[in-house]
Amino acid sequence: MAKVIKILFYTFATIFLIWALLAIFLSQVGLETKRFNPLIIEQVKKYNEDLNIDIKKVKIYLNISKLTNPKIKVRSKDPTLILGNNKIELESIKTEIDILSYFKNNFIIDKFIIVTKENKINDLISIASLEKPSLIIYNIFIKEGYASAYGSISFDTKGNIIDYAFNGKIKDTKIKYNEKYSFKNINFEFSYNKKRTKITKANFNFKKIKFFSDEIYISLLAPDGTILVKGDIRTERNSINSNILTSLFENNFNFIKDQEITFETKNNFSFVIQKQKIRELKYKSQIDLENISLNPKNNLIQNYFDNYQNSILLKNNSVILKYENKNLNIKGKTDYSFDTSFDKIEYEINKKKNSYDFLASINFDNNPIKIKAINYSKEKNKKSNLELNGSYNKLQYKFNEIIYNEGKNFFKAKDLILDQYLKILDINKVSIDYLNDNDKQNKINIEKDLTHYNVTGKSFDSYKLINDILLSDSEKNFLDNFDLKEQTQFMIFINKVFLDDKNFSKNLIGDLLIKNNKVSSLKLTSDFENNGKFKLEIKTLANKKKTTSFYSDNAEPFVKHFSFIKGFTGGKIDFFSVKEKEHSNSILNIFDFKVKEMPALTKLLSLASLQGIADIMTGEGIRFNEFEMNFNNKKNLMTIDEIYAIGPAISILMNGYIESNKLISLRGTMVPATTLNKVIGSLPLIGEILVGKKTGEGVFGVSFKIKGPPKKLKTTVNPIKTLTPRFITRTLEKGKKK
């Protein structure tokens, strides 16, 4: 019995050893077979009839890791997938089957483990597009590159694909959308399954700029194909030519100089792709830019900064962009300079639909400012700051608030609306309090009431305004800065108005009505310290003609604006004009005044050998009882019908024309008062009444011509022994009026 047991033991031991050795052999060395070749080919054909696979050999291995459910591993080494001219070299295809089903010959393959070699990325896309045809479009733009992958494909009992998952690498890929957008040296690792794609360790070149990404996720959100894409992208510090950046945009950025720009960026983004449209786009970008030089030819900047030479240098630029729910937020700061000194700008912009809300703080500490329109200037190295708060769209700018501070100087505007051409459409309130370049305090408030504007203030320097009105050759005026669609009325009351360095008026009261951006009517009255009056009135008549009347008991602060008249004192001024379209007829009268120096007149007196009168002019001055000028203007041409001035020393009668900045042509007669008295005194009865019986000795008068460009006038003088009837008639008319 013992012997039988021993024989059975050795028999079972031998069998067990044989099976053990066989199991070890099958698990380590494997067994080559062709039994699975048709099955693998069949599975590939189920994926797509046009897809073939070249299987060189198949080995089976025993998987004894699970003794309760042992499996057979099936491995094909170096197979090749073939689709037309596209081939994918595989390193291996692996699968497992239940060992019992293998022996029963009813086994099925439920999963493939696939490892590819490095293949052309276009070949991989061509085969992948058999399941997702939309992928084939990428082959239009992908020009070169390689990919390798490893992963698994799961099948149902009928051999249909139910799931898959792959990891892999993309290497040295080039994508070219068009000549402008071309991406090179694209490299990244990826993991890919039915619901998600993850891209890691990505980098690529675009326009000589190296981009990097740590992670990009592409996730399936819904069965309809809606996917979520999110990730990051950045650049390390790069130096590139500015032309590379400007070439990406359709707009003309010729104000950016050709230069090297050093910058870096960090970006996070996410968006949803639904029905081939991008939705729910979000991103946050930080851009750091070292230096950039701009050269915009901006007249607006030149008007305020004398040191601006069509160049702005920006340094230490930092910009943060946030985009979410179709709203864009931009925050930034930079140092700017027009020369060598830098000031700071901080700003924030919010874009909602087609509107932009903005906040800005601009320092001008190291920049001089010159605002000629209001005769204000700020020296360099004097602290000042501008705060802006408003919004912008294609049609208009709205400033909720504008505040400028410089020491005790203060400017503030509230609810200012400008059109796209920077013309004022509306304004709610303006407050100014500053010392101007004439050392005069300007303190004015303009505030909108329900039906009109109130202009009030303690003091205002009007010298610059008067100078522009009297001396400007242009038809333009301050109303050209407005675009007021409706009738607008201004009620004016200012305590003190400076007319020049020493003259001022008080209690300026006015009523200004504007229609269609033109003065329809104006009434201004003010008082001088000596109880004199100042009056200005403009009326628009029913026939659309416009009349202007002006009277002042003090002519001096108005006449002294004309540089060719020196030492003007005293006098009263009376002016009246009628204007129709571009043509006006005017009469100017000045009474009881003295002129100390008038270069053109002094030269005439000297040429006429009337040196005694010339000496009086440059000494005490010559007194005139009356000056009258009749003239008309049409565009840039002033035609002087007559100028007649009469005084105790001389009388002048002249006419001619002045073409603005081109030509002056005047002719006339100048007669000393003694000669004039003698001639008039010789007239029967009238002469005796006008000048008495004694007429004086008398001297010859002169006729003269003045002609030439404004800065090169030529004067000629001829003596005369008799006066023209016109001269005598005008003198008699003046005498009768008196």
Side-chain angles (χ1 to χ4, degrees), residues 499-513:
L499 302 175
D500 58 20
D501 290 338
K502 64 179 182 178
N503 293 285
F504 66 89
S505 68
K506 55 186 179 179
N507 299 330
L508 176 70
I509 300 174
D511 184 353
L512 169 63
L513 184 65

Side-chain angles (χ1 to χ4, degrees), residues 393-645:
N393 58 43
K394 290 183 179 180
L395 299 178
Q396 66 180 30
Y397 302 83
K398 181 181 180 182
F399 293 90
N400 300 325
E401 200 167 56
I402 301 173
I403 300 176
Y404 174 82
N405 284 291
E406 181 257 312
K408 294 183 179 180
N409 294 323
F410 175 82
F411 300 84
K412 183 176 180 180
K414 187 176 181 181
D415 297 333
L416 170 64
I417 301 176
L418 309 177
D419 67 11
Q420 56 188 319
Y421 307 108
L422 302 182
K423 290 183 179 287
I424 297 173
L425 298 174
D426 194 14
I427 190 168
N428 187 48
K429 187 176 182 179
V430 175
S431 298
I432 61 173
D433 187 354
Y434 73 100
L435 196 68
N436 68 10
D437 294 340
N438 295 332
D439 205 29
K440 297 289 188 296
Q441 193 71 32
N442 291 263
K443 194 167 185 179
I444 300 291
N445 288 308
I446 304 173
E447 189 165 3
K448 189 176 183 180
D449 207 333
L450 293 176
T451 58
H452 63 278
Y453 286 91
N454 290 315
V455 182
T456 59
K458 290 185 177 181
S459 58
F460 175 66
D461 185 6
S462 66
Y463 184 84
K464 176 73 168 56
L465 179 62
I466 295 171
N467 199 65
D468 291 344
I469 293 172
L470 293 177
L471 301 181
S472 176
D473 294 326
S474 174
E475 289 289 326
K476 294 183 178 181
N477 56 60
F478 78 99
L479 288 177
D480 292 322
N481 297 315
F482 291 80
D483 187 11
L484 302 174
K485 303 298 184 183
E486 299 179 358
Q487 177 176 295
T488 307
Q489 186 178 23
F490 293 84
M491 307 299 292
I492 304 167
F493 181 82
I494 301 174
N495 292 16
K496 189 175 184 179
V497 177
F498 297 102
L499 302 175
D500 58 20
D501 290 338
K502 64 179 182 178
N503 293 285
F504 66 89
S505 68
K506 55 186 179 179
N507 299 330
L508 176 70
I509 300 174
D511 184 353
L512 169 63
L513 184 65
I514 298 173
K515 292 181 180 179
N516 299 320
N517 297 317
K518 303 291 183 183
V519 175
S520 178
S521 67
L522 171 65
K523 289 183 180 180
L524 286 177
T525 61
S526 189
D527 303 322
F528 294 106
E529 282 193 309
N530 58 2
N531 296 322
K533 294 288 184 181
F534 162 91
K535 296 180 181 179
L536 173 63
E537 186 170 2
I538 298 174
K539 293 181 181 179
T540 301
L541 306 179
N543 56 9
K544 295 186 179 181
K545 290 184 179 180
K546 186 172 291 185
T547 64
T548 302
S549 59
F550 169 71
Y551 175 81
S552 176
D553 284 319
N554 185 1
E556 183 178 327
F558 304 101
V559 176
K560 71 186 301 181
H561 286 269
F562 298 96
S563 59
F564 57 87
I565 301 175
K566 306 293 183 183
F568 182 97
T569 57
K572 300 179 181 181
I573 188 169
D574 191 3
F575 171 81
F576 182 79
S577 175
V578 178
K579 184 175 182 181
E580 184 176 10
K581 295 183 179 179
E582 296 181 350
H583 185 267
S584 65
N585 291 291
S586 308
I587 300 174
L588 173 65
N589 287 283
I590 307 176
F591 308 97
D592 300 325
F593 62 93
K594 185 186 289 186
V595 179
K596 185 176 181 180
E597 182 183 345
M598 193 171 180
L601 182 56
T602 305
K603 184 177 181 181
L604 280 175
L605 294 168
S606 301
L607 292 173
S609 299
L610 303 176
Q611 191 60 46
I613 300 176
D615 291 341
I616 293 173
M617 278 200 72
T618 55
E620 297 179 359
I622 292 182
R623 179 173 296 282
F624 286 91
N625 303 108
E626 185 176 352
F627 171 94
E628 182 179 322
M629 177 178 175
N630 292 276
F631 61 99
N632 64 77
N633 292 81
K634 190 171 184 180
K635 293 186 177 180
N636 294 324
L637 179 65
M638 174 190 286
T639 302
I640 301 172
D641 298 324
E642 180 182 270
I643 295 177
Y644 184 75

Side-chain angles (χ1 to χ4, degrees), residues 79 155 221 229 285 391 395 439 562 592 609 622 649 654 695 722:
F155 305 92
L221 296 181
V229 181
S285 300
S391 60
L395 299 178
D439 205 29
F562 298 96
D592 300 325
S609 299
I622 292 182
M654 60 190 295
T695 58
T722 58

Side-chain angles (χ1 to χ4, degrees), residues 30-93:
L31 180 66
E32 187 172 338
T33 178
K34 293 184 179 181
R35 185 176 184 182
F36 293 95
N37 291 25
L39 184 60
I40 295 174
I41 294 172
E42 182 183 354
Q43 290 289 88
V44 170
K45 286 289 184 179
K46 284 183 178 180
Y47 179 68
N48 190 278
E49 279 294 331
D50 296 325
L51 189 61
N52 292 312
I53 186 167
D54 180 13
I55 302 174
K56 295 178 173 59
K57 61 181 179 178
V58 175
K59 275 190 173 184
I60 60 172
Y61 300 85
L62 181 64
N63 185 356
I64 57 175
S65 59
K66 296 181 180 179
L67 295 177
T68 57
N69 187 22
K71 300 276 188 179
I72 292 177
K73 293 181 181 179
V74 181
R75 178 182 179 185
S76 173
K77 190 175 182 181
D78 298 326
T80 302
L81 285 173
I82 302 170
L83 178 68
N85 294 323
N86 303 114
K87 293 182 179 180
I88 296 180
E89 300 289 338
L90 304 181
E91 187 174 303
S92 66
I93 296 179

Side-chain angles (χ1 to χ4, degrees), residues 239-256:
S239 291
I240 61 169
N241 191 276
S242 59
N243 291 333
I244 294 175
L245 290 179
T246 56
S247 66
L248 299 178
F249 302 95
E250 299 295 334
N251 295 340
N252 186 6
F253 289 96
N254 55 10
F255 59 86
I256 299 179

